[in-house]
Amino acid sequence: METLNTVVLDNGGSTIKAGVVGSDDETVRIIPNAIVRSKGDKATYIGHEIARCRDFSSLHYRLPFEKGYLIDWDAQKAVWDGLFSTEGLSVNAPECSLVITEPYFDLPNVQDVYDQFVFEEYEFRSYYRCTPASMIPYGSLFAAEGLNTSPECVLILDSGFSFTHVVPMINHQIQWHAVKRMDVGGKLLTNQLKEVVSYRQWNMMDETYIMNHAKEACCYISTQFIADLEICRSTPKQNSVVMEYLLPNFSINRAGEIRRPGYELAPTDQVLLMENERFTIPELLFRPDDIGLEQTGLPGTIAASIALLQEDLQGMFWANIGVIGGNTKFAGFHERLMTELRSLAPVEFEINIFESDEIVPLRTDVCQTSRFPLPSSHSSRVFGIWQQRSAQKVWPVGHRQACREEQEHKTGRCRASANEETQPSTGATRCIICCSPSVTTAPLFDRIASVGVGSQIQG
């Protein structure tokens, strides 16, 4: 049987995490999912090319994702082309399979465009499209001593670029009726920080990249919010909370950084004082009503999701909460979440929060492309890749138009009998090409090879 390389593509709204399983160079690339126009360089950079930029002031972003969904396919194709090229992963699509993530509650029309791009634009041999949370149980996020499999009931908290989702799963199947969404993500936090800083100190409304870096470097989740506010109020600009962030100086190619003890300011240095902004901005994850969003915070959203599940299983979900996404990397996040969940959960239930220990270090050089070696088998915190047991089925270009009829596809059935197969376990007959991967593709796969794609750092 021919062995195909498998391309893993975590297609996030802010960054793409990608790697190739089976190739000689099993490294993971983390690149911005954007086309950027630099006002200083007067040049345009696509995805991985942003590492060549030398002036990050007043960058203009063209993002493929808008409000959490992929809408600009021209921009997305340009980023993918660069990633698959020899400058990126050196992918020969017709000889590879693809595993790609999609947003939660993705629209059927958008999913059709995914199929068209994968098979007709790039001509991959086969592909598997799924949500990020659906892959987590196949990794080792929930691994315990002596156990090689994840618990049957888990709850995934995925806080990314556009939204924060709470996703309960039973036996690797998402319980969609209990999935909850908060309209708070990394993008909202960065935009809020820009507005606050622009009102109080410097005009940073056009400096999205710089403020996103300042957010990642300085902000934290306060476990004593009122006490920290009182510290900032009593002794402004001279307290233990204040942190000085040196704005970048691109004339001497110096990136933005936290001021080190003993560093003497030069006449050209510009300092951004981060005081209560350090903890009031991330506080929106727990108190979105602070900016007028009529939604509950993370603890209440988790409790509401678990309340919709079977009563006799709720204790297992409280005991197996996994957190992923860039916003969960704020210092103090784990402690604050645990404290507030304990006050909401029934006293007889144990609460365990599992978080990834694969921390992507902050960049000391602005916009440096990150590369990491893939971890060994079963050490992934993000992905497990299905590898096919049987001979690879070549899914012909144009089959979508030939076999898919609108109503039949929505019901998971296809009239192209030549492309049907019977599931031994259920006896159901489904199309191996156009039906839902969660229903049809899973029986075709047998072995899981883990791939670490790093932490989902979302700005």
Side-chain angles (χ1 to χ4, degrees):
M1 182 183 69
E2 180 185 3
T3 301
L4 298 181
N5 292 340
T6 303
V7 180
V8 182
L9 195 64
D10 182 11
N11 201 52
S14 175
T15 58
I16 293 178
K17 286 71 68 178
V20 180
V21 179
S23 66
D24 296 333
D25 183 18
E26 291 192 348
T27 57
V28 173
R29 296 290 300 272
I30 301 179
I31 67 170
N33 192 7
I35 299 176
V36 177
R37 174 72 178 177
S38 173
K39 184 177 180 180
D41 292 351
K42 293 182 172 57
T44 300
Y45 303 97
I46 300 175
H48 68 287
E49 297 176 350
I50 300 179
R52 306 170 187 170
C53 183
R54 291 296 174 263
D55 190 340
F56 294 90
S57 59
S58 301
L59 294 182
H60 178 267
Y61 283 84
R62 179 181 174 186
L63 299 174
F65 280 78
E66 183 67 30
K67 295 183 179 179
Y69 296 98
L70 182 51
I71 61 172
D72 192 341
W73 287 95
D74 291 335
Q76 188 64 86
K77 185 177 186 301
V79 175
W80 285 351
D81 287 345
L83 180 63
F84 295 152
S85 69
T86 54
E87 296 182 4
L89 299 176
S90 299
V91 172
N92 184 8
E95 297 181 0
C96 294
S97 297
L98 175 67
V99 176
I100 189 172
T101 62
E102 64 174 346
Y104 303 93
F105 302 108
D106 206 3
L107 302 175
N109 291 340
V110 178
Q111 291 177 331
D112 288 345
V113 182
Y114 272 100
D115 299 341
Q116 178 181 348
F117 263 72
V118 170
F119 290 131
E120 299 182 8
E121 293 289 340
Y122 293 104
E123 300 183 357
F124 278 96
R125 292 283 294 275
S126 60
Y127 97 114
Y128 182 61
R129 169 168 42 82
C130 62
T131 60
S134 63
M135 283 299 187
I136 298 300
Y138 298 106
S140 58
L141 180 63
F142 295 96
E145 293 186 10
L147 297 178
N148 295 324
T149 59
S150 64
E152 294 182 357
C153 297
V154 299
L155 186 136
I156 305 297
L157 171 63
D158 186 356
S159 185
F161 182 65
S162 300
F163 301 122
T164 296
H165 288 89
V166 177
V167 185
M169 303 178 67
I170 300 178
N171 290 329
H172 301 175
Q173 298 297 319
I174 295 178
Q175 306 302 301
W176 288 105
H177 70 281
V179 175
K180 295 291 185 179
R181 188 186 84 180
M182 284 177 54
D183 295 333
V184 178
K187 182 179 180 180
L188 183 144
L189 300 182
T190 301
N191 289 340
Q192 184 69 13
L193 181 60
K194 286 195 303 183
E195 293 184 10
V196 172
V197 170
S198 298
Y199 178 77
R200 296 177 178 177
Q201 299 181 60
W202 304 92
N203 182 7
M204 306 295 289
M205 292 304 296
D206 294 331
E207 307 296 346
T208 301
Y209 186 91
I210 297 174
M211 294 312 300
N212 184 68
H213 186 269
K215 178 193 73 175
E216 294 178 352
C218 300
C219 290
Y220 69 96
I221 301 291
S222 175
T223 56
Q224 297 179 338
F225 185 78
I226 301 300
D228 286 348
L229 273 181
E230 182 60 27
I231 291 174
C232 294
R233 187 197 65 82
S234 59
T235 54
K237 300 183 180 180
Q238 295 180 351
N239 54 67
S240 59
V241 176
V242 172
M243 180 175 287
E244 294 182 334
Y245 180 82
L246 297 179
L247 295 176
N249 187 343
F250 299 115
S251 62
I252 60 174
N253 198 27
R254 191 201 69 196
E257 61 181 357
I258 299 172
R259 184 182 178 183
R260 300 181 299 274
Y263 176 84
E264 295 186 3
L265 295 176
T268 57
D269 286 338
Q270 294 177 307
V271 178
L272 175 65
L273 289 178
M274 295 286 288
E275 195 173 14
N276 62 16
E277 300 92 347
R278 293 186 61 199
F279 58 89
T280 56
I281 297 301
E283 183 69 14
L284 299 178
L285 291 168
F286 294 83
R287 300 290 182 269
D289 54 344
D290 286 353
I291 58 172
L293 285 178
E294 296 182 358
Q295 297 180 350
T296 186
L298 286 180
T301 304
I302 291 175
S305 176
I306 295 178
L308 296 175
L309 300 165
Q310 299 180 32
E311 186 174 352
D312 56 340
L313 298 179
Q314 290 181 8
M316 298 179 65
F317 287 99
W318 284 108
N320 298 290
I321 300 175
V323 295
I324 61 174
N327 299 322
T328 66
K329 300 304 178 184
F330 284 118
F333 180 88
H334 183 280
E335 294 78 6
R336 174 71 178 276
L337 184 62
M338 175 65 78
T339 300
E340 298 206 8
L341 286 180
R342 183 66 275 176
S343 64
L344 296 176
V347 293
E348 66 270 19
F349 290 155
E350 180 184 0
I351 299 178
N352 293 315
I353 299 177
F354 299 84
E355 57 184 346
S356 171
D357 56 5
E358 295 178 0
I359 305 298
V360 178
L362 287 173
R363 298 179 293 252
T364 56
D365 180 17
V366 177
C367 199
Q368 176 182 355
T369 303
S370 301
R371 296 179 66 89
F372 301 91
L374 291 181
S376 58
S377 179
H378 298 290
S379 63
S380 168
R381 300 298 183 188
V382 180
F383 270 124
I385 297 182
W386 291 103
Q387 293 187 341
Q388 294 189 6
R389 169 181 80 232
S390 55
Q392 298 284 345
K393 295 180 173 63
V394 179
W395 294 352
V397 174
H399 175 80
R400 291 173 59 257
Q401 291 83 355
C403 78
R404 183 178 301 170
E405 295 186 10
E406 183 71 18
Q407 191 61 32
E408 290 293 316
H409 177 64
K410 288 182 179 179
T411 59
R413 299 300 303 272
C414 176
R415 292 182 178 179
S417 58
N419 297 302
E420 291 182 345
E421 69 175 17
T422 302
Q423 299 184 28
S425 58
T426 63
T429 303
R430 297 181 181 274
C431 175
I432 65 173
I433 296 175
C434 68
C435 293
S436 170
S438 62
V439 176
T440 306
T441 313
L444 300 178
F445 298 103
D446 186 36
R447 185 170 62 86
I448 297 173
S450 295
V451 177
V453 296
S455 302
Q456 296 183 349
I457 298 299
Q458 304 287 354

